[in-house]
Amino acid sequence: MATNPLGFPSWNIPGDNAWQLTAASLVGLQSIPGLAVMYAGLVKKKWAINSAFMVFYAFSCVLIVWVIWGYKMAFGVQWGSAPFVGTPGPVLTSDQLLAQAILPTSGAMANYPMATMVYFQFVFAAITVVIMAGAFLGRINFTAWMIFVPIWVTFSYVVGAFSLWGGGFLATMGVIDYSGGYVIHISSGTAGFVGAWWIGPRLAKDRDDFQPNNVLMVLVGAGILWIGWNGFNGGDPYSASTDAGVAVLNTNICTAMSLLTWTIWDIVYYKKPSVIGAVNGLVCGLVAITPAAGVIDGWAAIVMGILSGSIPWFSMNITAKYFRIFTIVDDCLGIFHTHAVAGFVGGMFTGVFATPDGCAAYGLTNPGGAIAGNWKQVWLQLVGALFIIALNTVMTSIIFGLLGLVVPLRMSDAALEIGDDAVHGEEAYAIFHDGQRSLLYGDTERHHVNAGGELGHMNVTEGIPVNQDDRMATGSVRKDSPVSGEELKQE
């Protein structure tokens, strides 16, 4: 069989291409099924489907935005004279995707095709939105979510990505963000907190009692997240390099230390080792090491693990109790603490612990951080963090403020009482409790609802005996429900 030279150009290194595709796939798995499963387990039973589907929707939507205009805005040629964003445009033709991966503004290039680079950068854009979703669970109007995702990626994410990774002004200044402590985690944590304020809170009773419905499912999702982070940080040298190995090892060291530290604090303060607390600890470790993964020593990864298991623990468990803003803003899963705070901690201590050898291995000209005598790096890291915080505060507020004029940002209280069945006409555990179908009530059949204004797509039989004449004309509720069918209509 003849060899096609277009498939094996001289610049393509199969090992680099294979690792980059593997790393991208690992990051993709962090979102689906990783965070989808994790979110579904962390929420009440009535929100399991909605929470998981928000992840799948965001992943799908971001990919289409990415290939039509988003990738070039984040990694293309600078748009005009302002060094904040690239020129929008598609990356869908064969000649584009088969060409060597080059980032024109930054001058970086990789030894594999553009198609690999586009997909690798996409999974990072997608997981940023997915992480943010954790702050909105249990009440955001799904229609608002559908509209918000592509707009936020277009006007907020790409600006941060271009500024730090695409050759924009923060990269030119020398701010270090190895794999997304700023672009992804401070962004998602800030936008999540701001967005949660705009959307409004869950029902009061849900905020008071929002126990996870499946802790084992949470652990499965957290495990996928942890191991998937090998691709998250190990893929950012853009090659199967020695620095990739350092990044993977440091990632796991910091995460393990952070989990252990968080667990110790739980035992000291609450007298019990919380499993959910341990998951928060490992997430904070993963987040904190992200801006530093390949540019610090292993001992520094241990120190950062202690810090990431302590500072976000105090912000979540102590500080949040004394500042009224945290009681007003309903950040459902504490995304501000586990991502914004942990990302800030990681970014600042990257400025402290970065080594000259680590920077050189990653291809940076920075002379290390404070431990190498370069205290300026700490200042640069602060400037980068403040820009990302300001960007996401302003853009998220503008987007939600305008979006709220078009569609409700929050579901109606009637829909919030029911959950998945009101929104999707489906339920995760259709057996009993918390708005689930119950065999005791004869809820075993499903019937189409014709009214287009309903929140759900299906109706449920209402009690025993089942009779067509006994079915209500609107809403997926039983006759004995305190919520009327009319209340279920969109507000």
Side-chain angles (χ1 to χ4, degrees):
M1 180 167 53
T3 300
N4 179 6
L6 291 177
F8 300 92
S10 59
W11 47 258
N12 183 62
I13 297 178
D16 284 353
N17 195 25
W19 167 238
Q20 208 65 30
L21 288 169
T22 301
S25 298
L26 286 170
V27 179
L29 285 169
Q30 290 181 297
S31 291
I32 51 172
L35 284 172
V37 170
M38 186 171 163
Y39 288 176
L42 279 170
V43 298
K44 299 180 79 169
K45 290 188 294 292
K46 69 177 181 178
W47 292 118
I49 285 179
N50 181 258
S51 301
F53 189 52
M54 283 178 65
V55 174
F56 276 78
Y57 171 81
F59 196 84
S60 302
C61 182
V62 173
L63 177 55
I64 302 306
V65 169
W66 200 244
V67 296
I68 296 178
W69 68 81
Y71 173 79
K72 282 194 171 183
M73 292 183 73
F75 295 97
V77 177
Q78 181 175 308
W79 194 6
S81 58
F84 301 109
V85 69
T87 305
V91 278
L92 289 167
T93 63
S94 294
D95 60 330
Q96 289 175 310
L97 298 176
L98 290 172
Q100 184 176 8
I102 297 175
L103 308 185
T105 303
S106 69
M109 62 177 57
N111 295 310
Y112 42 75
M114 182 65 77
T116 301
M117 179 65 79
V118 171
Y119 185 74
F120 178 75
Q121 300 297 356
F122 147 68
V123 290
F124 285 87
I127 201 171
T128 306
V129 183
V130 168
I131 291 168
M132 187 199 314
F136 307 156
L137 300 181
R139 85 282 198 179
I140 187 173
N141 178 4
F142 196 80
T143 301
W145 177 242
M146 293 176 69
I147 300 171
F148 172 79
V149 170
I151 296 175
W152 187 86
V153 170
T154 302
F155 291 99
S156 189
Y157 179 81
V158 298
V159 176
F162 184 86
S163 298
L164 276 158
W165 292 340
F169 82 103
L170 292 178
T172 303
M173 288 174 60
V175 179
I176 301 174
D177 187 10
Y178 190 89
S179 194
Y182 287 4
V183 175
I184 296 171
H185 299 294
I186 292 183
S187 290
S188 59
T190 302
F193 193 75
V194 172
W197 181 84
W198 279 97
I199 295 166
R202 289 165 288 170
L203 294 175
K205 66 178 183 179
D206 283 345
R207 292 192 72 179
D208 293 338
D209 181 16
F210 206 73
Q211 295 298 315
N213 77 86
N214 194 324
V215 176
L216 292 179
M217 188 183 293
V218 174
L219 288 174
V220 170
I224 295 172
L225 198 66
W226 185 340
I227 301 305
W229 225 280
N230 290 343
F232 198 107
N233 289 344
D236 263 289
Y238 295 162
S239 66
S241 66
T242 55
D243 195 48
V246 172
V248 169
L249 180 59
N250 281 341
T251 296
N252 285 268
I253 291 173
C254 181
T255 303
M257 192 70 244
S258 185
L259 183 152
L260 297 175
T261 303
W262 193 292
T263 300
I264 291 171
W265 283 117
D266 276 348
I267 293 173
V268 170
Y269 192 77
Y270 295 111
K271 311 305 179 186
K272 289 183 180 181
S274 166
V275 173
I276 300 301
V279 170
N280 283 330
L282 81 85
V283 170
C284 289
L286 292 168
V287 170
I289 195 62
T290 295
V295 298
I296 64 171
D297 290 335
W299 66 264
I302 293 176
V303 175
M304 289 184 70
I306 295 172
L307 294 169
S308 64
S310 300
I311 297 174
W313 186 94
F314 274 89
S315 74
M316 178 180 285
N317 293 281
I318 305 298
T319 307
K321 296 178 180 178
Y322 296 99
F323 285 86
R324 189 166 178 265
I325 186 67
F326 291 106
T327 61
I328 296 173
V329 178
D330 183 14
D331 176 2
C332 183
L333 300 184
I335 300 302
F336 176 81
H337 305 284
T338 56
H339 292 272
V341 174
F344 185 84
V345 169
M348 294 307 299
F349 281 95
T350 298
V352 175
F353 294 130
T355 67
D357 288 345
C359 290
Y362 186 47
L364 300 177
T365 58
N366 303 54
I371 61 169
N374 180 27
W375 284 94
K376 179 184 177 182
Q377 192 63 50
V378 178
W379 166 250
L380 290 174
Q381 297 301 112
L382 178 60
V383 170
L386 293 177
F387 173 78
I388 295 297
I389 291 170
L391 167 68
N392 285 278
T393 299
V394 172
M395 293 309 303
T396 304
S397 293
I398 292 173
I399 295 169
F400 269 126
L402 295 176
L403 183 58
L405 301 176
V406 181
V407 297
L409 301 180
R410 182 179 180 270
M411 298 181 207
S412 67
D413 286 353
L416 294 179
E417 289 282 355
I418 294 174
D420 287 338
D421 192 34
V423 184
H424 303 286
E426 298 163 313
E427 300 177 24
Y429 315 107
I431 300 176
F432 56 87
H433 294 319
D434 210 11
Q436 313 303 329
R437 293 183 177 80
S438 170
L439 297 177
L440 295 176
Y441 285 92
D443 295 341
T444 59
E445 299 181 27
R446 300 174 65 79
H447 304 274
H448 289 284
V449 170
N450 294 322
E454 305 301 329
L455 283 175
H457 301 298
M458 296 292 213
N459 200 359
V460 187
T461 53
E462 312 151 359
I464 303 174
V466 175
N467 186 295
Q468 287 285 350
D469 295 332
D470 289 335
R471 296 194 184 111
M472 303 178 80
T474 59
S476 300
V477 294
R478 293 192 298 267
K479 285 182 175 178
D480 59 353
S481 170
V483 182
S484 70
E486 195 64 30
E487 286 178 284
L488 280 174
K489 291 185 178 179
Q490 291 276 15
E491 292 190 340

